[in-house]
């Protein structure tokens, strides 16, 4: 094996073997394919001057260790133990009469330390014993745990193997993807690197495709070349460990392979095997999988399979009787996780669930056929809520799209979950400012809900609300109002007055009245919504922050600045604490507080908040979102008020272009910006 990226390990190994005056025994431990034997070989080469008594290399799995020692002594040291001695006496004779100087005794691929220990009786302190092993051999043995290569070292290893065609490495993205797929395992990297060297016309992209298609059975990973230290392919190297596992150990490894190639919280594994006793499961995990370096501990109750070991266990899973049961069990566990993710998760809720997200994605992408019809929507809904709730709309979008197509294919066009999927995708488009894409989906969802569920159903009220909110955003106030009123009446009748959906309906209708300047009608609705949210959700909830912000906006519009200020500040503080500093709701809150300061003439306080809001919106929503246009317009108004006309004009032009593209030329926001631009140009002309 080409030797790179192990300098620190060589130093640590030498230190372990020199630490005391007694017999130094150390082990290089790790999973198959890490290059344990190669490291021992390199250490022996590098330190040969320090071992005047020579190097004795023993294969633990070959002939009896004692026989190998005696044979070595006869061949290399010209020692001939008396024939009348028994085996143990002959070995002791060899140890006593070994040539002078420190001796390095390497025992390769140890599976049972007791078999080695038996022959070390009477060895003097000048003998340094180095073992390689796939197991943990006990607390008394100093251990150097070998890990995979660092990404830079993995790239260096591939470069060293492709010296005749170095240009193939320059396509960094493909190379990094290849190294990542191989899990930075030295054996896998060397096998693939040598295969690529033998096939100069094979691109790295094509190699990647072949690996993804044939996995561990791809020829590049199967057969080592004659001059390699390793004499087994990846699958064969792992097979040695597999043969030492009991049935329960094998089953647990196969179950773990169904999870994504990411850290796994142990609690999820336990839920997949409810019939197993906790202690029994932990013993299987620790005594075999951890002990044999087949599973890595990543933190408290967090574990992970190496990517290629995951591939190996998945290969073994195909022949396992419990395979389908394990797949269904994992899907049930992940569906339960998805159902617990709120629409707008707080930072705390995100932290709780974040470790499960890759595994939820694995179910959605590769195991969805094992999710029941009644739950098929949930993996996608959970993933969408996780990302959309953080304002990560581009990451949420493919899950919403995949949800709709999966539900349509599985359940047909006439199913309530299709209506929910249409609604969710439309809501996402609405958040992204893609109003033209959102509207037909909202209309389809409403029509489907009415046809399948009847006019008197909470889902119909939700669909009415969503469509009405879009119409309000588009400035179609006359179309929005009857829908809001219908939704509110339905929610109250079906759910009672004390329900969060009623609070949402009250809030949405109030927003419309506020936009229309009907402040007397908006005020009591905003107050009712706020009181309901607080009573039902507590004071620390994103919906409460939104309600505080909306009420503050109403007071600001009415010129009630003293009443608006504390509400704005409360809303901003709540958003930051619950959702984090980088969230679209925080940007909205900053923008609104800046507007308050602007209308009070506190330009020095308004300016930094407008700039923060603009930067956040551009970063989170993209440059062409209507909220970005709103921020550009507001900042331009501030500059205009300060007489900074040259700075204001380009901002207004940008805002006008965005509004025209997203809302059309006749929308109130577009008209407002056009008026602002006209006023600015009048002021510029008057200066000339």
């Amino acid at each position: 094996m080409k030797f790179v990226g192990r300098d620190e390990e060589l130093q640590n190994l030498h230190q372990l073997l020199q630490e005391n005056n007694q017999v130094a025994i150390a082990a290089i431990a790790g999973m198959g394919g890490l290059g344990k034997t190669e490291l021992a070989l390199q250490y022996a080469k590098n330190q040969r001057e320090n071992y005047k008594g020579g190097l004795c290399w023993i294969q633990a799995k070959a002939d009896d260790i004692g026989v190998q020692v005696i044979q070595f002594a006869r061949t290399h040291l010209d020692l001939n133990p008396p024939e009348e001695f028994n085996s143990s006496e002959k070995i002791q004779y060899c140890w006593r009469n070994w040539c002078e100087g420190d001796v390095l005794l390497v025992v390769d691929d140890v599976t049972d330390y007791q078999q080695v220990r038996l022959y070390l009786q009477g060895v003097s302190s000048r003998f340094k014993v180095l073992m390689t092993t796939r197991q943990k051999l006990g607390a008394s043995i100093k251990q150097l745990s070998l890990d995979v290569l660092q990404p830079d070292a993995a790239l260096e290893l591939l470069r060293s193997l492709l010296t005749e065609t170095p240009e193939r490495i320059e396509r960094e993205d493909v190379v990094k993807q290849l190294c990542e797929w191989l899990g930075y395992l030295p054996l896998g990297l060397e096998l693939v690197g040598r295969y690529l060297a033998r096939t100069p016309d094979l691109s790295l992209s094509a190699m990647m495709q072949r690996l993804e298609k044939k996995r561990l059975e791809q020829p590049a990973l199967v057969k080592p070349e004659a001059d390699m230290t390793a004499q087994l392919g990846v699958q064969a190297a792992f097979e040695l460990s597999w043969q030492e596992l009991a049935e329960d150990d094998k089953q647990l490894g196969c179950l773990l392979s169904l999870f994504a190639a990411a850290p796994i919280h142990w609690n999820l594994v336990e839920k997949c095997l409810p019939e197993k006793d906790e202690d029994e499961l932990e013993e299987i995990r620790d005594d075999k999988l951890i002990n044999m370096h087949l599973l890595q501990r990543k933190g408290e109750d967090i574990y992970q399979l190496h990517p290629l070991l995951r591939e190996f266990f998945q290969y073994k899973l195909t022949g396992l009787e419990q395979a389908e049961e394990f797949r269904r069990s994992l899907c049930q566990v992940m569906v339960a996780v998805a159902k617990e993710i709120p629409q707008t998760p707080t930072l705390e809720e995100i932290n709780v669930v974040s470790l499960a997200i890759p595994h939820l994605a694995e179910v959605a992408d590769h195991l969805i056929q094992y999710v029941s019809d009644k739950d098929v929507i949930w993996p996608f809904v959970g993933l969408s809520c996780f990302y959309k709730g953080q304002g990560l709309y581009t990451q949420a979008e493919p899950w919403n799209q995949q949800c709709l197509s999966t539900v349509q294919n599985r359940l047909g066009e006439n199913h309530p979950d299709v209506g929910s999927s249409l609604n969710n995708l439309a809501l996402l488009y609405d958040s992204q400012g893609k109003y033209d894409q959102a509207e037909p989906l909202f209309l389809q969802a409403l029509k489907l809900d009415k046809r399948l569920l009847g006019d008197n159903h909470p889902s119909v009220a939700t669909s009415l609300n969503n469509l009405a909110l879009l119409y309000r955003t588009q400035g179609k106030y006359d179309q929005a109002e009857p829908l809001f009123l219908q939704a509110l009446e339905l929610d109250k009748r079906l759910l009672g007055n004390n329900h969060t959906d009623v609070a949402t309906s009250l809030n949405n209708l109030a927003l419309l009245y506020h936009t229309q300047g009907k402040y007397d009608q908006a005020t009591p609705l905003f107050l009712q919504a706020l009181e309901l949210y607080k009573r039902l959700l507590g004071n620390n909830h994103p919906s409460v922050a939104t309600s505080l912000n909306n009420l503050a906006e109403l007071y600001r519009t009415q010129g009630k600045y003293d009443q608006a200020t504390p509400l704005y500040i409360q809303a901003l503080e709540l958003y930051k604490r619950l959702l984090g500093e980088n969230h679209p709701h925080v940007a909205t809150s900053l923008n609104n507080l800046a507007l308050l300061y602007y209308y009070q003439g506190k330009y020095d306080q308004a300016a930094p908040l407008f700039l923060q809001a603009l930067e956040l919106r551009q970063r989170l929503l993209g440059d062409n979102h209507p909220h970005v246009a709103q921020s550009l317009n507001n900042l331009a108004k501030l500059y205009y008020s300060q007489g900074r006309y040259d700075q204001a004009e380009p901002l207004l032009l940008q805002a006008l272009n965005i509004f025209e593209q997203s809302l059309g030329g006749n929308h109130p926001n577009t008209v407002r910006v056009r008026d602002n631009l006209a006023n600015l140009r009048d002021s510029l002309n008057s200066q000339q």
Side-chain angles (χ1 to χ4, degrees), residues 13 26-30 36 39-40 130-134 143-144 146:
L13 186 56
I28 305 170
K36 299 180 292 296
L39 183 65
L130 174 60
M131 296 177 285
T132 69
T133 180
R134 284 171 285 120
Q143 182 171 293
L144 177 71
L146 210 56

Side-chain angles (χ1 to χ4, degrees), residues 11 157 194 216-217 231 233 309 353 386 443 483 496 549 688:
Q11 292 174 13
L157 176 54
R194 285 171 175 262
L216 296 187
E217 294 182 338
Q231 289 301 297
L309 272 170
V353 78
F386 179 79
L443 287 167
L483 302 185
N549 175 75
Q688 293 173 356

